[in-house]
Amino acid sequence: MQEAMINKAKQLLADGTVSRVIGWKRGEFAYDITPAVFETAEELDKEFVYDDFTAANVSKYLVKESKKEGKILVFLKPCDTYSFNQLTKEHRVVRENVYIVGIPGGPKLDAEKIKAKGITGILSVKNENYTLKIDTVYGEEKMPFYEAVLDKCASCKSKKHVVYDELMGEEGDVLDSNRFDMVEKLENMAAQERYDFWREQLSKCIRCNACRNVCPACTCEKCVFDNPDSGVENKAPADSFEENMFHIIRAFHVAGRCTDCGECSRVCPQNIPLHLLNRKFIKDINSLYGEYQAGEDTTSRAPLNDYKQNDCEASVVHERGVE
Amino acid sequence: MKRIGVFVCHCGTNIAATVDVKAVAEALGHEPGVVISQDYQYMCSESGQNLVKNAIKEHNLTGVVVCSCSPRMHENTFRKAAASAGLNPYLVEIANIREQCSWIHKDIASATEKAIILGKAAVAKVHLNSPLTAGESPVVKRALVIGGGIAGIQTALDIAEAGFDVDIVEKNPTIGGKMAQIDKTFPTLDCAACILTPKMVEASQNEHITIHSFSEVADVKGFVGNFTVKIKKKARFVDETKCTGCGLCTEKCPMKKVPNEFNMGLDNRTAIYIPFAQAVPKVATIDPNHCMMLSKGKCGICSSVCSAGAIDYKQEDRFIEQKYGAIVVATGFNPINLDKYDEFAYNQCPDVVTSLELERLMNAAGPNGGTLLRPSDKTHPHKIVFVQCVGSRCDDSKGKPYCSKICCMYTAKHAMLIREKYPDTEVYVFYIDVRTPGKNFDEFYRRAVEQYNVHYIKGMVGKVTPRSDGKIDVQASDLLANEQLHIDADMVVLAAAIEPDKTARPLATMLTTQMDTNDFFTEAHPKLRPVESATAGIFLSGACQGPKDIPETVAQASAAAAKAIGLLVKNSITCNPCVAHSDELMCNGCSSCEKVCPYGAITYIDKEFKMPDRTIAVRRVASVNPAVCQGCGACTVACPSGAMDLSGFSNSQIMSEVDAICK
């Protein structure tokens, strides 16, 4: 795949379709893949990477990149195309300045899950018939592929690209992914039990803002959390209010616009399952206003930005909150 | 530093009986910035207003807080008073210590405490108030009347009389509404058609009136003086401009078994039809559900017999868009569905009919040509029982809680007409009580009892049972004689409750007007503004606002017209300066605000910004047209980055109010 992508990129650079390519390159470690922009064939040959760890959704980088001169080539996995559509809908990317090549998606791997097995000093990882062969400084280790799959890929919502200029490989389907199972489990908990669950999770937050920075729905010019007067500007949480509220406020801000790409949970260094907050919103919006998938298209009106005669009354929402 | 004056109103005992107004004035006097705080018996009176004016001049006030009734009632009064004293009217805030405080509390201590808190919130807000200037917006000199019954027709005629163009949108193929179905009208017993049809013709011939029959309002945008309305002209499969109304097509149509809705389904019509002889416009309409050509592609007889070439099977729904300055709602009423009333055997027995069905049975243009015959065997009935309040004055689970108002009178009319025409018929009327408030109404009812010997029996019918011999057993109670009655009736007439037309609810949503729990449109104020809705520029005419007889409907229709004319004669109206604006440095250009804006007030512009690194970036930012914005605030909550704000109700003002309340 990687080779095919490099060839495609080189070809589009050579014929002048695009002047830049956004992709990924290797970071410090084998599992540490980071987004990068390439301008020449040489750079592509040398650094361009696409493997089982290339999970990062690069669509948000296009907010800035698409406004620069010239067209940029981007490789989007199915999940990333939803984010891209949502950004287009919100006029955050200049669609004409982007050439999209749809590429098959995951499942991608989570290095944390490999490390959790006690495997450290990872040098390289190979997938052979769904068994991972992991070369470490301490020798070779093996583990089943599916035990190391990222959470977001384990409940993948779609293998279908919702936007592209060109597709590599075959078009997949929208999946029935049981992605609300965990949300339902939380809903069925008693209030105190649920509160304890979230307190335990959210108290781990170090306010690094990684979730905010990676989120394709978080694209405000000025973020509320950057306001020095707010008292919650980039810093470790000082009190439990902040610990509780930062993520809830963030989830509210992306409600109805979150494409459920799962990047927030993926980048969280503290492994907080942040996507569950967003999924709770998605599930509620679906049940109150009808099925809606943010980013599915660029024309429909988001349920929270729309008013229909059959919308539920406010009292319905209120009654649901009463326990 | 602000110099704020606080004025606490007693409102007679309305406020002062439950709120210690002196204590409120005293407490608010210590709030930061407050230089004068006093109470007065009637703040809205002339001397009360003078108090405010003088204080503004004497104390050089830069902000005024009036603790009184709801701003809906008197905000304008105090704004005007402030303006006449040289203070910008938008530096006046009202703390509602009547509706939201004294009226809902019994305990003086807690009401006083709450009044102080509400006052403090207003003081906190006025600290952040800034002077605002109102702009003006032009008025489109054309009115829309929704509904073409007697209410809509009268309103349109009156507006047209004043020289303004009016459009009537009527969902049925003809105008005329319920009145066209009625035989005679109370209390004068003149023929409904004789007084209605000339008005229908007058409306169709008036150069200022355009009738959109078989049409519906599909979308309403805009605001007072400047509504943009999308009208759906439903496909009638007949070219209105070509059809001469000769009726040949209706004679030749082979599909003759379609229930005739104009005759309440008591006889049949053809698939292509003209609702009744005096229909306006008098053009045919094809019912696509029953037309063989439209459903199966076989037939085409109407097309071949039509010499005008008006039949067009390919016609589709069309949409037209028109701008209006004022909208009058005249959607009228319908009798309720009687399916739930098994005890009256309405669904089991064809000789149990509703009053509106009786109207058609007795109408010369009805199914029996004016002779009253039983629907079942076409024999003359000799004993007729009228049942009042069927579904009216019921508990909510069964029917309507309100009195349908017109039934007592039309039943008296029916009873009288039957006794007049068929003196050999015995007529019974079962009533809870007879309600006849109206000019010459009680006299009319007494004539029915005294002159025409109609048997009025106080009591309700418990059960109606059709018998095998064709008679109907009516079991009822006579409450005055305290006995049970069994009457062998030939016919039973049910005075079904009336309810608003089903189209009223979605229409109200489009118009952003309010409805009561029964789906009647709510007037802005029952006594002060009875024909206006709470939404500016939208007026109410006829039974859409509540049950009404014809005289009342016509009176209200003319009143609504007068209000609409009052608006249309103005060249421009003063805009509300409390409009939205975006902080361009924070705006993302995401379009959320544009999408939620019900008035289309928001557009986007590309604007150059100097970036911190001295480069220039072009960004897409929201721009609000203040003449179009109505200050609803939908955009401020939709904006994900909080860039949208509302003048007069800014986020910081509301937060400071909340702070003052929580302190």
Side-chain angles (χ1 to χ4, degrees), chain A residues 61-68 72 92-94 97-98:
Chain A
Y61 294 83
L62 297 171
V63 172
K64 284 230 166 78
E65 289 296 330
S66 74
K67 285 182 185 134
K68 293 180 183 166
I72 186 161
R92 304 299 287 135
V93 297
V94 184
N97 287 351
V98 184

Side-chain angles (χ1 to χ4, degrees), chain B residues 27 99 139 218 239 260 264 298 393 419 431 467 481 502-503 596 622:
Chain B
E99 284 86 338
V139 174
D239 188 334
N260 184 350
M264 302 304 291
K298 286 179 212 151
R393 307 168 73 194
R419 290 281 298 154
Y431 66 96
R467 290 202 317 238
K502 288 275 178 284
T503 56
V596 294

Side-chain angles (χ1 to χ4, degrees), chain A residues 89-92 219-222 253 257 301 305 307 309, chain B residues 506 509 586-592 595-596 619-620 641:
Chain A
K89 193 176 192 167
E90 293 177 8
H91 302 269
R92 304 299 287 135
T219 51
C220 285
E221 286 294 325
K222 262 187 181 173
H253 275 211
R257 309 188 297 124
R301 282 172 67 153
N305 269 0
Y307 178 71
Q309 280 163 19
Chain B
T509 310
M586 279 167 84
C587 177
N588 287 335
C590 73
S591 283
S592 292
K595 281 181 186 140
V596 294
R619 283 211 345 252
R620 180 180 190 273
S641 45

Side-chain angles (χ1 to χ4, degrees), chain B residues 153 157 192-205 278:
Chain B
I153 293 170
L157 285 172
C194 310
I195 48 179
L196 175 70
T197 47
K199 273 191 191 293
M200 290 162 65
V201 175
E202 204 185 325
S204 74
Q205 288 175 350
Q278 301 103 315

Side-chain angles (χ1 to χ4, degrees), chain B residues 577-600:
Chain B
C578 297
V579 293
H581 54 89
S582 81
D583 179 339
E584 291 172 343
L585 290 174
M586 279 167 84
C587 177
N588 287 335
C590 73
S591 283
S592 292
C593 55
E594 183 200 18
K595 281 181 186 140
V596 294
C597 179
Y599 306 99

Side-chain angles (χ1 to χ4, degrees), chain A residues 245-257 278 281 304:
Chain A
M245 295 311 291
F246 170 78
H247 292 288
I248 293 171
I249 292 170
R250 217 189 73 71
F252 262 107
H253 275 211
V254 300
R257 309 188 297 124
N278 298 324
F281 277 93
L304 299 184

Side-chain angles (χ1 to χ4, degrees), chain B residues 3 65 71 96 113 115 165 274 290 365 417 438 455 459 467 503 525 528 551 588 617 625 635 647:
Chain B
R3 297 176 58 78
V65 170
N96 182 352
E113 191 191 339
D165 287 338
I274 296 171
H290 297 96
L417 287 172
H455 306 305
R467 290 202 317 238
T503 56
H525 191 288
L528 304 176
N588 287 335
N625 179 348
C635 55
S647 298

